[in-house]
């Protein structure tokens, strides 16, 4: 089972949106630039996300997209399903015609995997992903501050005019 680019990009774009929407509507051009996803592809994805009522669009100057509901109510599974991305590990797409119009011997295994993946992704919200990203950014900023302080102390100690 592998998640396709469409599902990956949709989740990435929604997380980018969630990280920035507090400042107002987020443009697809901005998401495109930050995440290196083509603007036309994002337009297609956000059309589907809007139809599934996961995002709202704001027209006009200063327009863009906002989440249509709280991030805690949007699951990764909902995002992936909204962009028509099937979570299906079966060869037959669940039709049970994998082997000459018959069910293959491992159909139940793959169907069970589908349920497990869906349940897992249904248990992860955009709010959880957002909190993880914010924590990573906080730690990165904290680490950068420590490095800056260490460099500054080295300059003071050695009398150097440039960082070592």
């Amino acid at each position: 089972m592998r998640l396709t680019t469409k599902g990956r990009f949709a989740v990435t774009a929604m997380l980018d949106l969630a990280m920035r929407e507090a400042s107002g509507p987020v443009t697809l051009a901005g998401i495109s630039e930050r995440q290196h996803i083509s603007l036309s592809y994002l337009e297609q994805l956000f059309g589907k996300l809007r139809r599934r009522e996961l995002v709202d669009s704001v027209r006009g100057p200063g327009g863009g997209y906002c989440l249509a509901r709280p991030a805690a109510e949007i699951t990764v599974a909902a995002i992936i399903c909204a962009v028509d991305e099937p979570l299906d590990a079966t060869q037959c797409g669940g039709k049970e015609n994998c082997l000459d119009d018959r069910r293959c011997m491992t159909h139940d295994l793959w169907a069970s995997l589908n349920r497990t993946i869906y349940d897992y992704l249904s248990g992860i919200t955009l709010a959880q992903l957002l909190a993880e990203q914010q924590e990573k950014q906080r730690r990165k900023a904290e680490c950068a501050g420590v490095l800056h302080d260490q460099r500054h102390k080295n300059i003071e100690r050695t009398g150097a005019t440039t960082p070592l």
Side-chain angles (χ1 to χ4, degrees), residues 20-127:
R20 290 168 177 78
E21 76 163 353
S23 301
V26 179
T27 65
L28 293 185
I31 295 172
S32 174
E33 187 177 308
R34 286 186 297 275
Q35 303 306 326
H36 307 285
I37 303 170
S38 93
L39 182 57
S40 61
Y41 201 67
L42 283 172
E43 288 168 346
Q44 293 172 29
L45 293 177
F46 273 73
K48 292 178 179 189
L49 293 166
R50 189 175 44 77
R51 283 189 291 281
R52 289 290 187 97
E53 300 179 349
L54 296 179
V55 297
D56 286 326
S57 61
V58 178
R59 294 183 179 268
Y65 285 87
C66 301
L67 296 178
R69 46 188 145 159
E73 295 177 16
I74 300 173
T75 67
V76 173
I79 296 168
I80 292 169
C81 290
V83 295
D84 300 328
E85 196 60 28
L87 295 170
D88 189 6
T90 64
Q91 184 177 351
C92 63
K95 296 176 186 170
E96 299 186 9
N97 62 352
C98 329
L99 186 65
D100 299 324
D101 290 330
R102 292 187 336 256
R103 189 180 163 143
C104 69
M105 294 188 314
T106 56
H107 181 86
D108 291 337
L109 170 68
W110 306 127
S112 177
L113 177 60
N114 289 345
R115 285 188 299 278
T116 301
I117 292 170
Y118 184 81
D119 290 346
Y120 174 73
L121 295 178
S122 291
I124 301 172
T125 66
L126 199 52

